[in-house]
Amino acid sequence: MNEETVFKPCDLVIFGALGDLSRRKLLISLYRLEIANLLEADTRIIGIDQYPFDNLGFIEIIHKSLQEFLNETLDEQVWALFSARFSYLKIDLTQMDQYPLLNTVIDGQSRVMVNYFAVSPFLFTNICQGLAGCGVLNHESRMVMEKPIGHDLKSSKAINDAVAEVFSEKQVYRIDHYLGKETVLNLLALRFANSIFTTNWDHNTIDHIQITVAEEVGIEGRWDYFDKTGQLRDMLQNHLLQILTFVAMEPPVNLEAQSIHNEKIKVLAALRPITKENVERKTVRGLYSAGDIKGKSVPGYLEEAGANAESTTESFVALRVDIDNWRWAGVPFYLRTGKRMSYKRTEIVVNFKQLPHNIFKESFADLPSNKLIIHLQPNEGVEIQILNKIPGIDENIKLQKTKLDLSFSDTFKNSKIFGGYEKLVLEAMRGNPTLFLSREEIEQAWTWIDSIQDAWAHTNAAPKPYPAGTWGPEAADELIATDGRAWEES
Ligand code: BG6
C-alpha cells in the first residue's frame, strides 16, 4: 500500500452517469457498498451526462434504474442515505467551454476527485482535455477507465498517450472487473499462503492447466460492438489473460501494486507467440448457431437482432498457450471461452502429473491424476480430486475417486461475497492501485493478441459453428485431444 491509501473523502465523478455501464454496474455496486456500510459518510457521487435534468430528476432516474437492474427489492431507507450523496451536472463532453461548470461542485482541497470514465473511449481525450482546461484537477485526482482500452496495440497506445498528457500513470486506474472477483484474489492466498501449493506449482508436478470461462448469455443487444470485437478481444485479451497471470506468476516480493504488476508483466512477456505458422494447430475459432439453453430456444449469432449475415467474427475461442520460462517449460495452458455455451461456468483446472508407477492395478489400470479445481463462478469454491481407499476388509485395496471440497458459501456463511465492481470501485476511492492494470500490462497483452489476429487474418478461415447450449465446436476437443488430453467435463 502507498501513502495515498489514507482515506480522504471522495467526489466520485461519473462521466456518462446515465449510460448503460453506469446504471447496470456502477451505481448498483455503489448501492451495495452503501448497504454494507462501506461508503465513507462524506463520499459524494456527481453524475455528468448530456441530458437536461436537475438533481431531483437525476435521482428519480437512478431510483428507477436501480429497481430495474437490482436483483432484489430496493431498501428505501438505504436509498434515502444513498441518494443524498447525488448531484448532477449537464455537460456535453465534446464542448470544452462546458467543463468549468465542474468548479461549482468540486472542492479539490479537502476532497479527492475520482473521475470515472463510463463512456465510449472516443470521448476519453475530450474529457481529459476538458478536465485539464478547467483547472479542477490536482496531483491527488484519479481517473478510472475500463476496457475496451483500444482494439489493438496501436489504438490502445493512442488512448493511453492521450490520458498520459493529463494524468500520471500513478493516477490512472484501469479496471478489469475479473480482478475484483473473490476467487481471482483468492489465487494469491491459495498460491502464496499455502506451502503445499507453493512447492507443487511447476513443471515437476503439473501436467497442464485449463482455464474455462463459459458464458450462457449471447451478445445481449450489443451486436455492433461485439461484431467489431469478437471473443478473443472481448474476453481473452483481458479476463482470461489476467487469470492466467495470477496462476502463472512468480511469488511477488509483497502485495504492493508495483510488485504484482512486475510479476504479471513477466508472464505476459513469456507467452510464446502464436503466428501464422502455428495458428491452425494452436487456436480454434467458433460461432454459435441456433440451439437450446436450459430448455429454451435461442437464435444463432447471425440471426441476432441487427446481425450482418456475412459476419466472420468469433463468439468462441480455444487456445493452447505455452509459457517460455523455467517454471512452465513443457506445461501447456489450454484456454477456452465462448458465448451461448451450456451454462455459466468459470474455472481453473490444475492437472497434476501421473505417478510413475501404479501398485493399485486392481482398482485402476491407469491411476487418474490429482486435480485442483478452482471454481470462480457461479459457485465459488476450491476442490481437490484425490484417490481414497474404499472402506472395507476386502482382500485387495480398492480405490475410489473422491474430492476434498471447499465451498465458499458453506464455509464462510457470515461473509458476503461481493461482485468484482464493488471491490474495485472501493479500491479506486481508497487510492489502492494493486488490483488495477498498468499500461505496460495492457500493451504487452495486446502485442500477443495482435499476433493471433494477424495470423487469423492471414489464414482467412471462417469460425467453426457450434449449436448454442454446447461446449463449443468439436475442433476445440480435437485441439486438446491431439496432445492426448481432454477438457474437464462439466
Ligand atoms: C465483459 C464482456 O467484460 O465481461 C462481456 O464485455 C461478458 O461480453 C462479461 O459477458 C462477462 O463478465 P462476468 O462477470 O459475467 O463473467
Side-chain angles (χ1 to χ4, degrees), residues 25 146-148 176-178 181 213-220 222 225-226 229-231 233-235 238-239 338-339 344 346 377 420-421:
K25 300 267 190 197
E146 295 212 22
K147 69 175 259 283
D176 180 320
H177 76 277
Y178 268 55
K181 290 190 191 276
V213 182
E215 300 187 81
E216 196 177 306
V217 293
I219 35 128
E220 306 291 281
R222 298 184 304 161
Y225 158 78
F226 189 82
T229 310
Q231 193 75 350
R233 293 187 178 112
D234 186 47
M235 293 295 288
N238 34 74
H239 307 323
K339 306 234 181 280
K344 187 173 178 74
T346 305
Q377 51 186 17
Y421 271 95

Coordinates of all heavy atoms in Angstrom, one line a residue, residues 25 146-148 176-178 181 213-220 222 225-226 229-231 233-235 238-239 338-339 344 346 377 420-421, ligand 1:
K25 N -24.1 -1.4 -13.8 CA -23.0 -1.9 -13.0 C -22.6 -1.0 -11.8 O -22.6 -1.4 -10.7 CB -21.7 -2.2 -13.8 CG -22.0 -3.2 -15.0 CD -21.7 -4.6 -14.6 CE -21.7 -5.5 -15.7 NZ -21.7 -6.9 -15.4
E146 N -12.2 1.7 -18.2 CA -12.4 0.3 -18.4 C -12.1 -0.1 -19.8 O -12.1 0.7 -20.7 CB -13.9 0.0 -18.3 CG -14.4 0.3 -16.9 CD -15.5 -0.7 -16.6 OE1 -15.7 -1.7 -17.2 OE2 -16.2 -0.3 -15.6
K147 N -12.0 -1.4 -20.0 CA -12.0 -1.9 -21.4 C -13.2 -1.5 -22.2 O -14.3 -1.3 -21.5 CB -11.8 -3.4 -21.4 CG -13.0 -4.2 -20.9 CD -12.8 -5.6 -21.0 CE -13.5 -6.2 -22.2 NZ -14.9 -6.4 -22.1
P148 N -13.2 -1.4 -23.5 CA -12.1 -1.7 -24.3 C -11.1 -0.5 -24.3 O -11.5 0.6 -24.6 CB -12.7 -1.9 -25.7 CG -13.9 -1.1 -25.7 CD -14.4 -1.0 -24.3
D176 N -10.2 -4.2 -14.8 CA -10.7 -5.4 -15.3 C -11.5 -6.0 -14.2 O -11.0 -6.4 -13.2 CB -9.5 -6.3 -15.7 CG -10.0 -7.7 -16.3 OD1 -11.0 -8.2 -15.8 OD2 -9.3 -8.1 -17.3
H177 N -12.8 -6.1 -14.4 CA -13.7 -6.5 -13.3 C -13.4 -7.9 -12.7 O -13.7 -8.2 -11.6 CB -15.1 -6.2 -13.6 CG -15.8 -7.3 -14.4 ND1 -15.7 -7.3 -15.8 CD2 -16.6 -8.3 -14.1 CE1 -16.4 -8.3 -16.3 NE2 -16.9 -9.0 -15.3
Y178 N -12.7 -8.7 -13.5 CA -12.3 -10.0 -13.0 C -11.4 -10.0 -11.8 O -11.3 -10.8 -11.0 CB -11.8 -10.9 -14.1 CG -12.8 -11.7 -14.8 CD1 -14.0 -11.1 -15.4 CD2 -12.8 -13.1 -14.9 CE1 -15.0 -11.8 -16.0 CE2 -13.8 -13.9 -15.5 CZ -14.9 -13.2 -16.0 OH -15.9 -13.9 -16.6
K181 N -13.0 -10.0 -8.5 CA -13.7 -11.2 -8.1 C -13.0 -11.9 -6.9 O -11.8 -12.1 -7.0 CB -13.9 -12.2 -9.3 CG -14.9 -11.6 -10.3 CD -15.2 -12.7 -11.4 CE -15.9 -12.1 -12.6 NZ -17.4 -11.9 -12.4
V213 N -13.8 -20.1 -19.4 CA -14.8 -19.0 -19.0 C -15.9 -19.2 -20.0 O -15.9 -18.7 -21.1 CB -14.2 -17.6 -19.1 CG1 -15.2 -16.6 -18.6 CG2 -13.0 -17.5 -18.2
A214 N -16.9 -20.0 -19.6 CA -18.1 -20.3 -20.4 C -19.2 -19.3 -20.0 O -19.5 -19.2 -18.8 CB -18.5 -21.7 -20.3
E215 N -19.8 -18.7 -21.0 CA -20.9 -17.8 -20.7 C -22.2 -18.4 -21.3 O -22.2 -19.0 -22.4 CB -20.7 -16.4 -21.4 CG -19.5 -15.7 -20.9 CD -19.4 -14.3 -21.5 OE1 -20.1 -13.5 -20.9 OE2 -18.8 -14.1 -22.5
E216 N -23.3 -18.2 -20.6 CA -24.6 -18.7 -21.1 C -25.2 -17.6 -22.0 O -25.9 -17.9 -22.9 CB -25.5 -18.9 -19.9 CG -26.7 -19.7 -20.1 CD -27.4 -20.0 -18.8 OE1 -26.8 -20.4 -17.8 OE2 -28.6 -19.6 -18.7
V217 N -24.9 -16.3 -21.6 CA -25.5 -15.2 -22.4 C -25.0 -15.2 -23.8 O -23.9 -15.7 -24.1 CB -25.2 -13.8 -21.7 CG1 -25.9 -13.8 -20.4 CG2 -23.7 -13.6 -21.6
G218 N -25.7 -14.5 -24.7 CA -25.2 -14.2 -26.0 C -24.6 -12.8 -26.0 O -23.9 -12.5 -25.1
I219 N -25.0 -12.0 -27.0 CA -24.3 -10.7 -27.1 C -25.2 -9.6 -26.6 O -24.8 -8.4 -26.6 CB -23.8 -10.4 -28.5 CG1 -24.7 -11.0 -29.5 CG2 -22.4 -11.1 -28.8 CD1 -25.2 -10.1 -30.5
E220 N -26.3 -10.0 -26.0 CA -27.1 -9.0 -25.2 C -27.4 -7.7 -25.9 O -27.1 -6.7 -25.3 CB -26.4 -8.8 -23.9 CG -26.1 -10.0 -23.1 CD -27.4 -10.7 -22.6 OE1 -27.9 -10.3 -21.5 OE2 -27.8 -11.7 -23.2
R222 N -25.7 -6.2 -28.0 CA -24.6 -5.4 -28.3 C -23.9 -5.8 -29.6 O -22.7 -5.9 -29.8 CB -23.5 -5.5 -27.2 CG -24.0 -5.1 -25.9 CD -22.8 -5.2 -24.9 NE -22.3 -6.5 -24.8 CZ -21.1 -6.8 -24.3 NH1 -20.3 -5.9 -23.9 NH2 -20.7 -8.1 -24.3
Y225 N -21.1 -3.6 -31.3 CA -19.8 -3.6 -30.5 C -19.2 -4.9 -30.6 O -18.0 -5.0 -31.0 CB -20.1 -3.3 -29.0 CG -19.0 -3.8 -28.1 CD1 -17.8 -3.0 -28.0 CD2 -19.1 -4.9 -27.4 CE1 -16.7 -3.5 -27.3 CE2 -18.1 -5.4 -26.6 CZ -16.9 -4.7 -26.6 OH -15.8 -5.2 -25.8
F226 N -19.9 -6.0 -30.4 CA -19.3 -7.3 -30.3 C -18.8 -7.7 -31.7 O -17.7 -8.3 -31.8 CB -20.3 -8.4 -29.8 CG -19.6 -9.6 -29.5 CD1 -18.9 -9.8 -28.3 CD2 -19.5 -10.7 -30.5 CE1 -18.2 -11.0 -28.1 CE2 -18.8 -11.8 -30.3 CZ -18.2 -12.0 -29.1
T229 N -15.5 -6.6 -32.3 CA -14.5 -7.0 -31.2 C -14.2 -8.5 -31.3 O -13.0 -8.9 -31.4 CB -15.2 -6.6 -29.9 OG1 -15.6 -5.3 -29.9 CG2 -14.2 -6.8 -28.7
G230 N -15.2 -9.3 -31.1 CA -15.0 -10.8 -31.1 C -14.6 -11.3 -29.7 O -14.1 -10.5 -28.9
Q231 N -14.7 -12.5 -29.5 CA -14.5 -13.1 -28.1 C -13.0 -13.0 -27.7 O -12.7 -12.9 -26.6 CB -15.0 -14.6 -28.1 CG -15.1 -15.2 -26.7 CD -16.3 -14.7 -25.9 OE1 -17.0 -13.7 -26.3 NE2 -16.5 -15.3 -24.8
R233 N -10.9 -10.6 -28.3 CA -10.6 -9.3 -27.7 C -11.5 -9.0 -26.5 O -11.1 -8.3 -25.6 CB -10.8 -8.2 -28.8 CG -9.8 -8.2 -29.9 CD -10.0 -7.0 -30.8 NE -9.1 -6.9 -31.9 CZ -9.5 -7.0 -33.2 NH1 -10.7 -7.3 -33.5 NH2 -8.6 -6.8 -34.1
D234 N -12.7 -9.4 -26.6 CA -13.7 -9.1 -25.6 C -13.4 -9.8 -24.2 O -13.6 -9.2 -23.2 CB -15.1 -9.4 -26.0 CG -16.2 -9.0 -25.1 OD1 -16.2 -7.8 -24.7 OD2 -17.1 -9.8 -24.8
M235 N -12.9 -11.0 -24.3 CA -12.8 -11.8 -23.1 C -11.4 -12.3 -22.8 O -10.9 -12.3 -21.7 CB -13.7 -13.0 -23.1 CG -15.2 -12.7 -23.1 SD -15.7 -12.0 -21.5 CE -15.6 -13.4 -20.4
N238 N -8.2 -9.7 -22.0 CA -8.3 -9.1 -20.6 C -8.5 -10.2 -19.6 O -7.6 -10.6 -18.9 CB -9.3 -8.0 -20.6 CG -10.5 -8.4 -21.5 OD1 -11.3 -9.2 -21.2 ND2 -10.5 -7.8 -22.7
H239 N -9.8 -10.7 -19.5 CA -10.1 -11.5 -18.3 C -9.3 -12.8 -18.2 O -8.8 -13.2 -17.2 CB -11.6 -11.8 -18.3 CG -12.5 -10.6 -18.5 ND1 -12.2 -9.4 -17.9 CD2 -13.7 -10.4 -19.1 CE1 -13.2 -8.6 -18.2 NE2 -14.1 -9.1 -18.9
G338 N -16.4 -18.8 -24.5 CA -17.4 -18.6 -25.5 C -18.7 -18.1 -25.0 O -19.0 -18.2 -23.8
K339 N -19.5 -17.6 -25.9 CA -20.9 -17.1 -25.5 C -21.8 -18.2 -25.9 O -21.5 -19.1 -26.7 CB -21.2 -15.8 -26.3 CG -20.2 -14.7 -26.1 CD -20.8 -13.4 -25.6 CE -19.8 -12.3 -25.5 NZ -19.1 -12.3 -24.2
K344 N -23.3 -21.0 -17.4 CA -22.2 -20.1 -17.0 C -21.2 -20.9 -16.1 O -21.7 -21.6 -15.1 CB -22.7 -18.9 -16.2 CG -21.7 -17.9 -15.8 CD -22.4 -16.7 -15.2 CE -21.4 -15.6 -14.8 NZ -20.9 -14.9 -15.9
T346 N -17.0 -20.7 -14.8 CA -15.7 -20.2 -14.9 C -14.8 -20.9 -13.9 O -15.1 -21.0 -12.7 CB -15.6 -18.7 -14.5 OG1 -16.5 -18.0 -15.3 CG2 -14.2 -18.1 -14.7
Q377 N -16.8 -19.0 -10.7 CA -18.2 -18.6 -10.7 C -19.0 -19.6 -11.4 O -18.5 -20.3 -12.3 CB -18.5 -17.2 -11.3 CG -17.9 -16.9 -12.6 CD -18.0 -15.5 -13.1 OE1 -18.3 -14.6 -12.3 NE2 -17.8 -15.3 -14.3
G420 N -17.2 -8.2 -8.7 CA -15.9 -7.5 -8.9 C -16.0 -6.0 -8.8 O -15.1 -5.4 -8.3
Y421 N -17.1 -5.4 -9.2 CA -17.1 -4.0 -9.3 C -17.1 -3.3 -7.9 O -16.4 -2.3 -7.7 CB -18.4 -3.5 -10.0 CG -18.2 -3.4 -11.5 CD1 -18.5 -4.4 -12.3 CD2 -17.6 -2.2 -12.0 CE1 -18.3 -4.3 -13.7 CE2 -17.4 -2.1 -13.3 CZ -17.7 -3.1 -14.2 OH -17.5 -3.0 -15.5
Ligands
BG6_1 C1 -17.4 -8.3 -20.1 C2 -17.6 -8.6 -21.6 O1 -16.1 -7.7 -20.0 O2 -17.5 -9.5 -19.4 C3 -19.0 -9.3 -21.8 O3 -17.6 -7.4 -22.4 C4 -19.0 -10.5 -20.9 O4 -19.1 -9.7 -23.1 C5 -18.7 -10.1 -19.4 O5 -20.4 -11.1 -21.0 C6 -18.6 -11.4 -18.5 O6 -18.5 -10.9 -17.2 P1 -18.9 -11.9 -16.0 O7 -18.5 -11.2 -14.8 O8 -20.4 -12.1 -16.1 O9 -18.2 -13.2 -16.2

